[in-house]
Amino acid sequence: MSLEFLDPAHWMNPLAWTTILAVIIAGFLLTWIPVMLIVERRGSAWMQRRSGPNRVGPWGLMQPMSDAIKMIFKEANIPRKAHKVLFVMAPALAVLPPFISMIVMPLGGSVNIGGTEYAFQAFNVNVGMLFFLSITSLHVYSVLTAGWASNNKFSLMGGLRASSQMISYEIAIGICIVSLVLTYGTLDLREIVKLQEHGSAFPVWGFILQPVAFIVLWICTFAETNRLPFDLPEGESELVAGYHTEYSGMTFGMFMLGEYTAMVASSAFLATLFLGGYNIPFVTEESLRQIFLDQGLSLTLASLITVALQFACLVAKIFFFMWVFVWVRWTLPRFRYDQLMDLGWKMLLPIGVANAIVTMVVTYFLKRGGL
Amino acid sequence: MMSSPTVLQWIIGLITLASAFLVILGRNPIVSAISLMATMFSTGLLYFSLGAHFIGVVQILIYAGAISVLIIFIVMLLDLRPIRVLIPGRAPVYALAALAGAAFFVAAMLSVLPLLKNVGALDMLGTATESSGQQPEEISMQLLSKYMIPFQATALLLLAAVMGVVVLGKKNMVSERITKGAKKP
């Protein structure tokens, strides 16, 4: 018996690597759900000077587990007058887009296995930025179909509100993307992260180069994920619970799962574009790998540890954005619907267009070699 | 070189066809609209499997992501009931529709078949999709140089359409003007 199979160089190929990455991405996104549940509930309690759920397990840490068990064993009721196929399909449509959109996200540098460099990214496409936006724009279908299939006026109102809100804010996102493409000169997310690698110098990340686009895109992310202060589709005081009024048990749980995974995917997108992605400040991938090589580790192990550290750095950046999501939710009140539309069309869109024009002029003169 | 379709392409193609059939066979307008979205999306996937990433992304972003949402939005606002009978017992109408469909199919095939026969053209298509590293740049260069005038003309056309919709939407304004105009002489 040989132990050859323990050495990944003997069996690693692109297909196996992509499969491993798919498992990692799915596990990564699902792990965020219980973490965010406890952060949201305990975090809100902390902000409002309450105790929050603190009875299940040590410091209430097992609360998400009991929540999940409760949801799975509750009856998933389907209203008699609902459109059955679409009613069941809508929660699935809520979960799918965040998982698909994460495949283009560069999660780390590359791992050297048997002399081949395997990029820590499931699908390296040269239009990654557009791919992410196109897949996340499909999220609106889950809300629309849920609202319509429930055969409930409140649900339909919630679905319509959500769709018009998402379409409006997607326009501002598109304008921000234009100025970003002009800044970086590429649509490739991996390339963008590489451009933000500055080694020992001060990390000049995207949010320093494009502060206005950063703020506008960040605000739009809140609207796209239907989080407060933009959660009018489920405004309790007007619409009971909006598009998921009729959903119970795990069908509702899947909407929640979709919301949190969408938040993670959007946070990863923001971190990749503006916070240097997986880059660790003040070290490059090569220098980090060299440190571990100097310790006498093999090339595979050294690159693996480097990628793990970079991935941890990306997770820290994502957590920053996730915490701000929670922070804003328990700080700001909900907008009125006309205020929401005014903010999207009369504030963010003109600011985005002005920013794009300024970026165009600056890029033109920089390319010519003199400002 | 163009190879024969892979298993994945067959599956995507079958999904595309099935959802396209559901668009015209579905009794419920909402189901039709959602299957139209599915058709657009799987067409985008087909482009992806051919290596044309940029075209695939644009297909999903614009057709599946934006236009289909508007169609579904409008259908939902209209609150259409499921259609029981398409056209009550008019055989000639069905025959005419079938004839028109067949004519359209033949015309589409006639425009595509020369491409399929011409191996050189196929090879060009293959290399164009394989060298997708420069795709967005190439397409934008073509749009802003060779096809500049059609590109701008399309924008003007869309603007005119939008203005037309606004004018039609403000029914009162139009009718008031017509009545005022009628009163003047």
Side-chain angles (χ1 to χ4, degrees):
Chain A
M1 284 293 285
S2 64
L3 289 172
E4 266 188 351
F5 68 92
L6 282 178
D7 183 6
H10 286 280
W11 48 266
M12 188 55 76
N13 58 46
L15 187 64
W17 179 250
T18 311
T19 314
I20 291 170
L21 274 173
V23 173
I24 289 175
I25 288 171
F28 170 66
L29 278 175
L30 288 173
T31 310
W32 275 99
I33 314 295
V35 173
M36 279 324 287
L37 273 175
I38 199 77
V39 166
E40 182 116 41
R41 297 188 70 174
R42 291 305 295 265
S44 67
W46 180 54
M47 281 176 221
Q48 298 175 340
R49 304 190 69 185
R50 291 185 282 116
S51 305
N54 60 357
R55 292 304 154 101
V56 193
W59 306 292
L61 282 178
M62 299 305 282
Q63 184 66 37
M65 192 72 86
S66 69
D67 281 357
I69 291 169
K70 183 198 82 174
M71 271 185 187
I72 289 167
F73 286 103
K74 262 176 88 172
E75 184 191 0
N77 183 41
I78 301 178
R80 192 182 293 163
K81 291 264 182 176
H83 192 289
K84 300 222 165 34
V85 179
L86 294 182
F87 189 83
V88 176
M89 206 174 77
L93 282 178
V95 179
L96 270 178
F99 280 86
I100 301 174
S101 60
M102 274 302 276
I103 64 173
V104 289
M105 211 53 72
L107 300 172
S110 53
V111 183
N112 190 311
I113 299 169
T116 322
E117 293 277 339
Y118 287 99
F120 204 58
Q121 180 185 14
F123 182 40
N124 192 2
V125 65
N126 62 334
V127 285
M129 212 201 276
L130 286 180
F131 182 91
F132 182 88
L133 288 177
S134 67
I135 298 297
T136 46
S137 72
L138 298 178
H139 179 66
V140 65
Y141 288 107
S142 78
V143 180
L144 261 179
T145 43
W148 184 81
S150 302
N151 201 4
N152 176 329
K153 287 286 178 286
F154 291 125
S155 301
L156 186 64
M157 283 299 295
L160 292 177
R161 274 186 178 190
S163 56
S164 56
Q165 165 183 335
M166 282 175 172
I167 292 171
S168 306
Y169 279 80
E170 255 165 35
I171 293 165
I173 290 183
I175 292 293
C176 287
I177 292 302
V178 168
S179 44
L180 278 175
V181 172
L182 284 166
T183 314
Y184 291 123
T186 177
L187 287 164
D188 190 334
L189 286 172
R190 196 167 191 79
E191 199 81 353
I192 288 171
V193 174
K194 289 251 167 70
L195 283 171
Q196 294 181 72
E197 193 175 47
H198 291 281
S200 53
F202 182 77
V204 185
W205 287 340
F207 76 98
I208 298 171
L209 295 172
Q210 281 288 350
V212 180
F214 177 49
I215 302 292
V216 173
L217 206 60
W218 201 356
I219 296 171
C220 291
T221 309
F222 281 87
E224 281 287 300
T225 49
N226 289 331
R227 288 282 293 190
L228 257 143
F230 299 100
D231 75 333
L232 288 126
E234 44 189 290
E236 298 96 339
S237 48
E238 305 140 27
L239 296 177
V240 190
Y243 59 90
H244 56 61
T245 304
E246 299 286 354
Y247 285 88
S248 56
M250 204 51 208
T251 48
F252 166 72
M254 277 173 84
F255 276 117
M256 204 168 65
L257 208 146
E259 183 187 321
Y260 281 113
T261 44
M263 278 159 64
V264 176
S266 304
S267 302
F269 188 59
L270 282 172
T272 303
L273 290 181
F274 295 105
L275 288 191
Y278 56 74
N279 280 326
I280 304 171
F282 304 114
V283 282
T284 59
E285 195 184 344
E286 283 82 44
S287 65
L288 204 60
R289 201 185 267 191
Q290 197 56 46
I291 291 169
F292 293 116
L293 283 176
D294 291 343
Q295 304 291 318
L297 297 174
S298 70
L299 185 57
T300 307
L301 205 57
S303 57
L304 200 64
I305 295 172
T306 310
V307 163
L309 283 176
Q310 287 175 328
F311 187 49
C313 190
L314 180 67
V315 170
K317 287 166 185 171
I318 292 175
F319 190 79
F320 164 70
F321 284 112
M322 295 299 276
W323 174 247
V324 176
F325 269 119
V326 174
W327 190 5
V328 168
R329 176 172 177 181
W330 299 99
T331 308
L332 294 181
R334 186 179 292 141
F335 282 135
R336 241 179 24 235
Y337 201 68
D338 58 319
Q339 290 173 330
L340 170 114
M341 282 294 160
D342 278 358
L343 181 70
W345 287 99
K346 293 182 184 167
M347 290 268 298
L348 297 181
L349 185 60
I351 291 173
V353 171
N355 185 48
I357 290 169
V358 170
T359 313
M360 278 172 204
V361 173
V362 171
T363 318
Y364 176 74
F365 282 112
L366 282 180
K367 283 262 167 74
R368 283 179 84 200
L371 189 70
Chain B
M1 267 303 291
M2 202 76 174
S3 53
S4 59
T6 61
V7 180
L8 193 66
Q9 284 165 352
W10 274 111
I11 295 171
I12 299 171
L14 281 176
I15 293 172
T16 313
L17 279 180
S19 50
F21 270 111
L22 207 60
V23 175
I24 49 171
L25 297 179
R27 291 283 162 92
N28 196 322
I30 297 277
V31 174
S32 289
I34 286 172
S35 13
L36 182 66
M37 186 276 280
T39 315
M40 303 285 194
F41 183 72
S42 44
T43 314
L45 289 186
L46 212 53
Y47 291 140
F48 262 104
S49 69
L50 288 169
H53 296 147
F54 183 67
I55 305 290
V57 161
V58 169
Q59 168 83 18
I60 294 174
L61 189 66
I62 293 174
Y63 288 98
I67 291 178
S68 303
V69 174
L70 292 178
I71 292 174
I72 293 175
F73 195 76
I74 300 301
V75 173
M76 277 180 186
L77 282 179
L78 290 177
D79 190 29
L80 297 173
R81 294 286 111 200
I83 303 161
R84 297 255 176 267
V85 187
L86 285 174
I87 300 161
R90 288 278 172 83
V93 176
Y94 285 117
L96 269 178
L99 212 67
F104 184 75
F105 183 74
V106 167
M109 277 297 123
L110 280 177
S111 60
V112 174
L113 277 179
L115 268 178
L116 289 179
K117 273 181 191 165
N118 195 339
V119 183
L122 266 187
D123 200 32
M124 194 187 73
L125 191 72
T127 46
T129 49
E130 269 161 28
S131 69
S132 56
Q134 295 295 316
Q135 247 185 21
E137 287 90 337
E138 271 171 24
I139 288 171
S140 47
M141 279 309 285
Q142 291 283 322
L143 262 185
L144 293 174
S145 58
K146 195 178 170 189
Y147 298 103
M148 185 67 176
I149 293 165
F151 181 54
Q152 299 281 5
T154 319
L156 269 179
L157 199 66
L158 283 173
L159 187 67
V162 169
M163 285 162 73
V165 168
V166 169
V167 170
L168 285 177
K170 288 194 169 178
K171 256 183 196 165
N172 297 327
M173 197 179 78
V174 177
S175 56
E176 266 171 32
R177 269 195 196 158
I178 289 169
T179 47
K180 270 180 192 170
K183 275 175 190 173
K184 246 184 183 176

